[in-house]
Amino acid sequence: MGLGFLPLGLAFGALVTQSGLDWWWAGLSASLIFGGSFEFLLIGMVIATVPLAGIAMSAFLVNVRHVFYALSFPLHRVTGRLGKTYSTFAMCDEAYALTTGEQARAWSGRRILWLQLFLHLYWAGSSTAGALLGSLIPDSVTGLDFALTALFTVLALDAVRDLRGDLPTPALALLSAVAARLLFPDEMLLTAFTLFTAALLARHLMTSRRPTHA
């Protein structure tokens, strides 16, 4: 997972300097914001001097998916106020995917924190390196922009394998995405998450009400 962060961070750091910002913007953003997709968006907003209210609203719309992540993220295993605070801050897509899988159900809070810390360091370090060395990457190097897609493809395949034949869940996810694309294309991510969560809750209520037979 950390290796998957490297090309993304390098690309982000290079984009920071190519946009006219100082190199330290990359490391500062990666360390304090730690929201990959929003950080890419933030570069253009900073250059265009977008008001803070607009930046805050954009940050909410891009990262609102974390509200849904919190429903099943194993924060209860993390002990201590400081640990819970950092774990909440560092809950990225990749950390969520790894800590909610079948194999991670026995992980301790310490292991979850170390996982999040190393992902954070990978992102901050590679972003800073990209800002400092981005100009050395030749234009002939291709595929860096596909790293994020490939990373999430692998995570999705692992999640499907953990379902062990539970086909309705991937089907609900696909239907939610298609419906969101057709109904609200400008707010597809938020709509898809909402529909998928509602569908899971409805299925849970329906199955819990079924009578059990001894």
Side-chain angles (χ1 to χ4, degrees):
M1 193 63 66
L3 294 177
F5 270 26
L6 291 180
L8 298 177
L10 291 174
F12 172 70
L15 181 60
V16 166
T17 55
Q18 290 173 4
S19 300
L21 299 175
D22 294 328
W23 67 269
W24 51 265
W25 268 92
L28 184 66
S29 173
S31 300
L32 300 182
I33 299 176
F34 193 40
S37 54
F38 175 68
E39 289 180 59
F40 279 93
L41 176 63
L42 183 62
I43 296 175
M45 301 179 75
V46 170
I47 295 175
T49 63
V50 175
L52 288 178
I55 293 177
M57 179 58 67
S58 299
F60 172 76
L61 293 176
V62 173
N63 295 320
V64 71
R65 64 189 185 278
H66 290 174
V67 175
F68 299 91
Y69 290 170
L71 298 175
S72 54
F73 185 78
L75 185 63
H76 60 279
R77 299 186 209 158
V78 180
T79 59
R81 182 176 299 178
L82 182 61
K84 289 183 180 293
T85 300
Y86 177 75
S87 183
T88 301
F89 163 76
M91 185 179 63
C92 60
D93 300 314
E94 293 78 11
Y96 174 82
L98 290 174
T99 56
T100 55
E102 180 71 24
Q103 297 180 351
R105 293 184 178 180
W107 287 6
S108 64
R110 183 185 297 272
R111 182 170 182 176
I112 294 173
L113 281 176
W114 277 112
L115 166 70
Q116 292 181 280
L117 176 62
F118 274 110
L119 290 178
H120 196 178
L121 292 175
Y122 266 110
W123 177 247
S126 59
S127 297
T128 304
L132 292 172
L133 306 174
S135 60
L136 301 179
I137 300 177
D139 296 335
S140 59
V141 175
T142 60
L144 293 178
D145 54 343
F146 188 72
L148 183 62
T149 304
L151 183 61
F152 279 103
T153 300
V154 173
L155 291 176
L157 291 175
D158 287 342
V160 170
R161 279 197 289 263
D162 282 343
L163 293 175
R164 295 181 179 179
D166 182 16
L167 292 179
T169 299
L172 288 176
L174 179 60
L175 290 175
S176 299
V178 172
R181 176 64 179 172
L182 294 176
L183 298 176
F184 301 99
D186 294 334
E187 301 293 342
M188 178 181 173
L189 185 62
L190 177 59
T191 304
F193 267 111
T194 303
L195 292 175
F196 185 53
T197 302
L200 292 178
L201 290 174
R203 187 181 67 173
H204 175 71
L205 291 175
M206 292 176 60
T207 55
S208 62
R209 291 178 179 178
R210 291 177 181 175
T212 57
H213 302 281

